[in-house]
Amino acid sequence: MIGCLLIASLLVQPTYIDLYQKGDKLIKGGDFKGAEIPLKEASSADYVPALKSLGEVYVKLKQLPYAVNQYQKAVELNPRDISARDRLAELYSWVGDYDKSIVTYRDSLTLDPGNISLKTGLAKVLRWSHRYDEAEKLYIEALNEDPAHHEALK
């Protein structure tokens, strides 16, 4: 009898996918604080989409160091995830850690050298770091690849 109850209780426990979906639904409804709890639980299973969503919740809640932490974990678990790397580099720049941002963008470009978003993100951080020549070179590269790219035209 006890074994049956244990099995039954395990069957009704939400999985990390269920928790992720619940958190995602709350995000779509604009309830970022409410999404935090299920996404924390889902991300404890090292589920990269949950880590990224939790990172975005922290961005919305203006808790950038926590957002950085979630994206660091996502990149550690899936180093080839270019979107996670791009966002992590951007978040580093938002918290003023330009050196880490530059390193992250450059590492990401070794994985995806033609990614214009990475190039313009790196160029922006280089510009903020007063490294204008390097930034200009990347903007020109991005414009040569995509003449209408709005970030490179700024």
Side-chain angles (χ1 to χ4, degrees), residues 78-136:
N78 187 4
R80 300 197 64 80
D81 185 337
I82 297 300
S83 68
R85 286 174 164 275
D86 189 8
R87 188 61 160 161
L88 177 59
E90 182 178 37
L91 290 169
Y92 279 140
S93 72
W94 288 3
V95 297
D97 197 338
Y98 297 146
D99 291 337
K100 278 188 181 177
S101 179
I102 290 167
V103 167
T104 303
Y105 275 125
R106 287 198 168 135
D107 287 347
S108 301
L109 280 165
T110 62
L111 295 173
D112 189 0
N115 189 311
I116 294 175
S117 176
L118 293 173
K119 287 179 184 179
T120 56
L122 175 56
K124 188 185 310 181
V125 177
L126 289 168
R127 192 178 72 224
W128 293 343
S129 301
H130 307 288
R131 294 163 67 173
Y132 302 113
D133 292 341
E134 292 174 80
E136 182 180 14

Side-chain angles (χ1 to χ4, degrees), residues 18 22 25 36 63 76 78-79 94 100 105 108 118-119 137 143 148-149 152:
D18 297 328
K22 179 180 180 181
K25 186 176 179 181
E36 183 181 12
Q63 297 177 1
E76 285 172 18
N78 187 4
W94 288 3
K100 278 188 181 177
Y105 275 125
S108 301
L118 293 173
K119 287 179 184 179
K137 180 182 173 190
L143 284 171
H149 196 275

Side-chain angles (χ1 to χ4, degrees), residues 21-33:
Q21 290 172 341
K22 179 180 180 181
D24 194 48
K25 186 176 179 181
L26 290 166
I27 289 171
K28 288 177 180 162
D31 184 3
F32 302 108
K33 191 66 182 162

